Each structure stands twice: as C-alpha cells, then as structure tokens.
Amino acid sequence: MLVAPSILSCDFGRINEEISAICKTDCDFIHVDVMDGHFVPNLTIGPVVVESVNKISSKPLDIHFMVQNNTFFVELFKDIKPEFITFHIEEEKHPHRLIQKIKDYGIKAGVVLNPHTNPSIIEYLIEYLDIVLLMSVNPGFGGQSFISNVLEKSKVLKEMIEKRNPKCLIEIDGGVNDKNIHLLKESGVDMVVAGNYIFKSSDYSQAVKSLKI
Ligand code: DX5
Ligand code: ZN
C-alpha cells in the first residue's frame, strides 16, 4: 500500500519540523489539500507555501485540488512539479482537456470523486488517467468518519480499471486508519491518504508502518 500523509492535520506553526519528521518515515508521498473556500467551506494553502513544503520535503507531492476553476490552479501549481495533481470531476466541464494539460506539464493526472459520485462517470476517461481518488469523507476537513460504501465503489472501479487501464491507481482519502486499511486493501486500493491518524499519533513512523500492508 502506498501511503500519503495529509499535512492538513499537521501543526502548521511547526510545519518545517513536521515535514522533516514525516519524511523520516516510510511514507511514499506528501498529500497536500488545496481548498479555495468556494468548492468546499474551508481555505488552506496556496503555491507560495506549497513551494516551501516541496523544498523541505524529500518525498514527492500529491496535490488534491478542492477548488473552482481548476485550470487556473493547475497554472498556479505546475512549476512545483508535484508527482500528482488531482481535481474534482464534479467541478470540471472539460476533464479530458485538463488531464491532457496536466500531463503535458510532465505531471501525473487524476480525478477525485465525492462520496455520492458514481464511478461510471469516468468510464470513458479512465484510459487517460494515472490515478483516481475516491473520497471516503466529504471534502473540506480532516478528522471525519470513514464512509464505508467507498469499499464497494472501489471494487466497481477496480473492475473498470482492469478492463480499460490496469496501470491506473486507486487512492482513498478520508478517515483512513489501522482498522479499515485491510478492507481497503481487499477492495483493490493502491494508495491511502491519512491525516489525523498519522499526525495526531505519538509515533509517525509506527502509524505509517501500520498502513503499509
Ligand atoms: C479532506 C482532505 C483529506 C484530509 C484527510 O477534504 O481531502 O486529505 O486531510 O484527513 P483524515 O485522514 O483526518 O480524514
Ligand atoms: Zn485530500
């Protein structure tokens, strides 16, 4: 299992130390939640701060946009050269065009599906995607409870992926912990985001290790 700690739950007053500490663990990516106060009722960090995070981090970034006007945000963040940029399918009229744009910048591209969104909406997009992120909470805040029907959704998506683009990864975001990680693995998930579970623990390495199954 690939593990991407979400810095939304870190202590932003000590962000330098927090990034250094998380990079000493066996995690694979740093998950960065970019929220604009419009698509979701929360506002987080912009390119200036994310650029600094990227400089401190020895792990590649996984940037999750929860914003309106995705194209504008892609232009703002492209020079940081994250590993992944994902954007919400519910907020994009031309996802195919935007996927191409992100890939043209040499960045892996993916879409995010809210808890209510049926994976069938991406059936004819899947062959162009590097990753699909399924939300297992409503986007906007860390520390919420896991919505377990994402397990069934992941299985449906996995079948579609195997048929149309076996290299595409399934990522899950929200309420992930050591209690649901095995069920996620059994449901075909390749990568998990975890915020509170890791950053509210007393031992980041141990918390990451418990998810790397
Ligand atoms: C929620 C964010 C998540 C969040 C997950 O909108 O997309 O990445 O940080 O936090 P936890 O793991 O605490 O649910
Ligand atoms: Zn996220």
Side-chain angles (χ1 to χ4, degrees), residues 4 6-9 31-33 35 40 64 66 88 133 135 137-146 173-177 193-198:
S6 166
I7 56 167
L8 188 62
S9 298
H31 184 83
V32 180
D33 291 301
M35 307 184 190
V40 287
H64 172 192
M66 283 155 275
H88 276 260
L133 171 46
M135 291 306 298
V137 296
N138 285 296
F141 302 93
Q144 302 179 77
S145 303
F146 183 74
D173 186 0
V176 171
N177 56 41
V193 176
N196 262 32
Y197 176 68
I198 294 173

Side-chain angles (χ1 to χ4, degrees), residues 17-35:
E17 291 162 54
E18 291 279 67
I19 301 295
S20 304
I22 204 66
C23 286
K24 288 196 182 100
T25 73
D26 202 15
C27 73
D28 300 277
F29 304 99
I30 302 287
H31 184 83
V32 180
D33 291 301
V34 175
M35 307 184 190

Side-chain angles (χ1 to χ4, degrees), residues 10-210:
C10 84
D11 178 352
F12 276 93
R14 299 170 40 251
I15 192 162
N16 203 326
E17 291 162 54
E18 291 279 67
I19 301 295
S20 304
I22 204 66
C23 286
K24 288 196 182 100
T25 73
D26 202 15
C27 73
D28 300 277
F29 304 99
I30 302 287
H31 184 83
V32 180
D33 291 301
V34 175
M35 307 184 190
D36 67 349
H38 295 281
F39 178 67
V40 287
N42 198 2
L43 191 60
T44 56
I45 51 179
V48 174
V49 175
V50 178
E51 174 79 62
S52 303
V53 168
N54 194 40
K55 279 192 187 133
I56 308 163
S57 176
S58 56
K59 311 278 181 176
L61 303 188
D62 169 33
I63 299 185
H64 172 192
F65 286 152
M66 283 155 275
V67 300
Q68 291 180 348
N69 199 349
N70 286 300
T71 305
F72 170 78
F73 278 83
V74 167
E75 297 298 336
L76 271 185
F77 284 78
K78 69 178 192 320
D79 293 335
I80 295 173
K81 296 270 177 229
E83 183 84 5
F84 299 103
I85 286 182
T86 60
F87 61 87
H88 276 260
I89 195 79
E90 299 86 4
E91 193 56 42
E92 186 52 53
K93 285 198 189 84
H94 303 289
H96 182 272
R97 181 189 292 158
L98 188 55
I99 292 289
Q100 295 303 338
K101 186 187 255 299
I102 295 169
K103 286 183 162 186
D104 286 348
Y105 288 136
I107 300 165
K108 291 180 186 150
V111 294
V112 189
L113 275 61
N114 266 337
H116 73 280
T117 304
N118 194 318
S120 62
I121 197 171
I122 55 169
E123 190 166 2
Y124 297 101
L125 193 64
I126 202 108
E127 63 199 274
Y128 307 101
L129 299 174
D130 295 301
I131 192 161
V132 177
L133 171 46
L134 299 179
M135 291 306 298
S136 41
V137 296
N138 285 296
F141 302 93
Q144 302 179 77
S145 303
F146 183 74
I147 299 173
S148 60
N149 66 13
V150 79
L151 298 168
E152 182 189 328
K153 207 161 142 181
S154 175
K155 287 179 193 161
V156 171
L157 177 62
K158 185 76 180 174
E159 276 182 31
M160 202 192 289
I161 282 177
E162 273 169 2
K163 204 165 119 197
R164 294 178 178 271
N165 178 9
K167 281 194 281 190
C168 180
L169 300 175
I170 300 180
E171 178 180 16
I172 300 285
D173 186 0
V176 171
N177 56 41
D178 60 344
K179 307 280 184 301
N180 50 33
I181 192 72
H182 288 91
L183 290 170
L184 288 165
K185 180 91 178 177
E186 284 163 21
S187 307
V189 174
D190 304 288
M191 174 166 164
V192 290
V193 176
N196 262 32
Y197 176 68
I198 294 173
F199 283 101
K200 304 299 176 206
S201 77
S202 55
D203 184 340
Y204 295 174
S205 287
Q206 189 51 43
V208 169
K209 199 173 162 199
S210 70

